[in-house]
């Protein structure tokens, strides 16, 4: 892990600042993360959070879109944003001498965007093309449909992009109302990684975010899905099967999330020695790609296994996955204490390398602060992974063997 740990300070308005020093860096990252995503929408305005993320750059009460898109680009930086199911981020990566410029611009976007109708019409077409591109990509469509199925009946259970019909109905008034409700001091976290001190960033936030409404935190509890488990198979005219298979699991507040993360890495992490890669690709040649991922939301989590294979091989792959889970859940699990310790060492090593990516690291610290109030330190993470027991791994595998899974196979 990088030695410099994140620190958190709180402005009088309630706005939190997460700061990770990078003293000798020639670049910096500043942004705002808001606790609002597609799960914050109503059925009448699906896609609104993502649409706001797109159109927040289209003009403020003082600036036109042309000024906004050139403000950071002109000095070699970039301005970006993304939306997930439960949060939205607006941020810039820039040469370190332009911190004040980045903070002032993002503060203006957060508080003064006006969403002009002419710009919204153009961006609406862009978003609809994005929806079309996802529909034309079997892997993306499989993941999205799988999440819609497994989270059915909850705010998590719809596509972040929305539908063509819902996006067509979104207006400037919708966007402004969303901003007024969620883009407030008590519902967001500012984050910075670069050579400037936390005190300096704090002062710049005081100056530039002084007019930001205090508002209320978005602490509404998202209900867990009650949909019964089962298998779904859809048919399409494609040669390859893109199968997504998984279970609901611990949420982002549960201490079990560390065991879930380690389990996921063991079965299908980025290493070529993951159990699924060795079993399905290296030894049997059944798939051209296989991976496992975990995602943690405020109400529940998700372990997802994806593989791509010839259409007539998908059932052999599912059968192998079931057999693997039965072995991991059994009394004679192949994951001995020695192998578990090796798996922990590998995962911690991968995490240490990943932590060198400053953008990912500051985003992770900001998200932890947004939802849990404080970031996880490197030492806390290492201790939590080292504390995972073989029994915890067995319990997770048992969730697969007990029939508590969904499988989505478009073919």
């Amino acid at each position: 892990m990088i030695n410099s740990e994140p620190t958190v300070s709180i402005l009088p308005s309630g706005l939190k600042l997460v700061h990770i020093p990078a003293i000798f860096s020639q670049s910096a990252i500043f942004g705002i993360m808001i606790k609002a995503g597609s799960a914050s929408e109503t059925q009448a305005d699906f896609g609104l959070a993502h649409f706001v993320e797109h159109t927040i750059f289209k003009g403020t009460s003082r600036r036109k879109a042309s000024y906004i898109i050139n403000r950071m680009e002109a000095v070699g930086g970039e301005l970006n944003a993304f939306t997930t199911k439960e949060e939205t981020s607006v941020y810039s990566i820039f040469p370190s001498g332009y911190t004040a410029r980045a903070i002032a611009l993002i503060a203006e976007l957060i508080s003064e965007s006006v969403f002009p109708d002419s710009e919204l019409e153009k961006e609406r077409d862009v978003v609809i093309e994005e929806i079309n591109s996802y529909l034309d990509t079997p892997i993306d469509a499989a993941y999205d449909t799988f999440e819609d199925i497994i989270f059915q009946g909850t705010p998590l259970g719809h596509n972040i992009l929305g539908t063509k019909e819902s996006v067509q109905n979104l207006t400037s008034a919708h966007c402004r109302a969303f901003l007024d409700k969620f883009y407030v001091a008590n519902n967001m976290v500012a984050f910075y990684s670069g050579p400037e001190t936390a005190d300096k960033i704090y002062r710049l936030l005081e100056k530039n975010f002084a007019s930001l409404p205090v508002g209320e935190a978005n602490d509404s509890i998202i209900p867990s899905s009650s949909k019964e488990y089962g298998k779904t198979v859809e048919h399409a005219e494609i040669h390859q099967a893109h199968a997504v298979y998984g279970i609901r699991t611990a949420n982002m507040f549960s201490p079990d999330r560390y065991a879930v993360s380690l389990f996921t890495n063991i079965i299908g992490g980025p290493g070529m020695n993951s159990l699924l890669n060795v079993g399905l690709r290296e030894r049997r040649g059944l798939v051209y790609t296989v991976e496992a991922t975990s995602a943690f939301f405020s109400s529940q989590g998700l372990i997802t296994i994806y593989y791509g294979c010839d259409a007539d091989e998908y059932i052999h792959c599912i059968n192998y996955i079931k057999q693997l889970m039965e072995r991991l859940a059994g009394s004679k699990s192949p994951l001995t204490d020695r192998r578990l310790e090796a798996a922990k060492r590998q995962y911690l090593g991968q995490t240490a390398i990943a932590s060198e990516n400053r953008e990912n690291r500051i985003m992770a610290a900001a998200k932890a602060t947004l939802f849990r109030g404080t970031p996880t330190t490197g030492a806390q993470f290492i201790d939590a992974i080292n504390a995972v027991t073989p029994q915890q791994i067995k319990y997770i595998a048992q969730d697969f063997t007990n029939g508590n899974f969904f499988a989505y196979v478009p073919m």
Side-chain angles (χ1 to χ4, degrees):
M1 293 287 184
I2 297 174
N3 290 329
S4 55
E5 294 290 358
T7 59
V8 178
S9 49
I10 306 176
L11 276 70
S13 64
L15 177 65
K16 293 184 176 69
L17 167 64
V18 181
H19 178 275
I20 299 180
I23 298 172
F24 301 109
S25 177
Q26 297 299 306
S27 65
I29 304 165
F30 173 79
I32 293 290
M33 186 174 290
I34 304 100
K35 192 191 291 186
S38 61
S40 307
E41 302 160 351
T42 66
Q43 189 170 356
D45 56 24
F46 281 173
L48 177 57
H50 176 256
F51 194 61
V52 168
E53 172 233 305
H54 267 248
T55 55
I56 198 173
F57 303 113
K58 299 305 177 181
T60 69
S61 57
R62 291 183 286 160
R63 318 286 185 187
K64 292 185 177 180
S66 57
Y67 174 93
I68 293 167
I69 63 174
N70 282 301
R71 185 63 175 159
M72 300 311 300
E73 298 276 350
V75 297
E78 62 182 61
L79 188 61
N80 214 332
F82 65 84
T83 306
T84 73
K85 288 186 179 295
E86 292 192 290
E87 74 268 4
T88 302
S89 290
V90 181
Y91 65 100
S92 180
I93 303 173
F94 49 89
S96 57
Y98 295 95
T99 300
R101 175 184 290 222
I103 292 177
L105 177 61
I106 290 176
E108 186 173 334
L109 295 177
I110 294 297
S111 58
E112 298 183 46
S113 286
V114 294
F115 307 103
D117 290 335
S118 59
E119 293 290 344
L120 260 61
E121 287 308 311
K122 289 185 288 187
E123 203 62 26
R124 196 187 315 278
D125 292 338
V126 172
V127 173
I128 289 174
E129 280 305 307
E130 188 176 355
I131 293 171
N132 289 335
S133 71
Y134 269 75
L135 294 175
D136 288 341
T137 307
I139 297 175
D140 293 332
Y143 269 109
D144 285 342
T145 304
F146 175 79
E147 290 189 354
D148 288 351
I149 293 169
I150 202 167
F151 292 136
Q152 183 178 336
T154 81
L156 297 173
H158 67 273
N159 190 297
I160 291 169
L161 302 179
T163 66
K164 296 177 187 178
E165 293 74 22
S166 66
V167 171
Q168 288 284 8
N169 293 327
L170 298 177
T171 67
S172 177
H174 286 110
C175 296
R176 189 66 240 179
F178 194 83
L179 225 68
D180 290 342
K181 182 176 181 179
F182 295 112
Y183 285 51
V184 293
N186 271 325
N187 198 49
M188 59 176 60
V189 167
F191 55 89
Y192 173 85
S193 177
E196 306 287 3
T197 66
D199 286 344
K200 180 173 182 179
I201 303 302
Y202 186 99
R203 292 194 298 272
L204 286 169
L205 291 180
E206 282 188 310
K207 174 184 176 182
N208 289 281
F209 285 83
S211 62
L212 186 69
V214 173
E216 296 181 359
N218 178 21
D219 291 330
S220 58
I221 299 175
I222 295 176
S224 298
S225 177
S226 59
K227 178 179 172 59
E228 293 183 0
Y229 284 96
K231 184 171 77 170
T232 300
V233 179
E234 291 198 2
H235 296 272
E237 295 298 325
I238 58 176
H239 172 69
Q240 296 163 329
H242 298 273
V244 185
Y245 178 96
I247 60 170
R248 294 188 290 254
T249 187
N251 64 33
M252 67 168 67
F253 305 106
S254 170
D256 291 335
R257 67 185 186 275
Y258 297 104
V260 170
S261 295
L262 180 60
F263 176 89
T264 305
N265 200 65
I266 290 168
I267 64 169
M272 292 181 65
N273 64 343
S274 73
L275 297 180
L276 288 173
N277 191 69
V278 171
L280 289 175
R281 178 169 179 158
E282 299 300 323
R283 291 182 180 172
R284 291 168 177 79
L286 291 175
V287 302
Y288 59 89
T289 183
V290 60
E291 65 180 15
T293 56
S294 53
F296 302 102
F297 304 100
S298 57
S299 59
Q300 56 200 300
L302 187 63
I303 298 176
T304 303
I305 298 169
Y306 162 79
Y307 60 87
C309 65
D310 288 341
D312 58 354
E313 298 287 4
Y314 85 92
I315 192 64
H316 298 110
C317 296
I318 286 183
N319 287 337
Y320 175 80
I321 294 170
K322 290 180 180 178
Q323 292 166 11
L324 172 62
M325 296 304 169
E326 288 169 358
R327 293 200 305 272
L328 291 174
S331 57
K332 295 183 179 180
S333 170
L335 202 64
T336 62
D337 289 348
R338 182 178 178 181
R339 287 189 176 182
L340 182 57
E341 290 306 309
K344 292 176 180 179
R345 183 169 60 249
Q346 176 176 341
Y347 184 45
L348 291 172
Q350 291 169 341
T351 305
I353 293 171
S355 73
E356 297 289 344
N357 184 315
R358 288 172 49 222
E359 182 178 347
N360 290 345
R361 188 162 183 254
I362 189 63
M363 293 283 191
K367 181 173 180 177
T369 304
L370 184 66
F371 285 93
R372 298 196 295 271
T374 184
T376 303
T377 68
Q380 288 171 334
F381 179 80
I382 291 170
D383 289 346
I385 294 299
N386 282 329
V388 174
T389 66
Q391 194 62 45
Q392 286 177 288
I393 300 297
K394 287 185 179 182
Y395 285 151
I396 297 169
Q398 285 170 3
D399 279 338
F400 284 91
T401 63
N402 291 337
N404 295 337
F405 69 88
F406 285 101
Y408 172 72
V409 188
M411 50 174 303

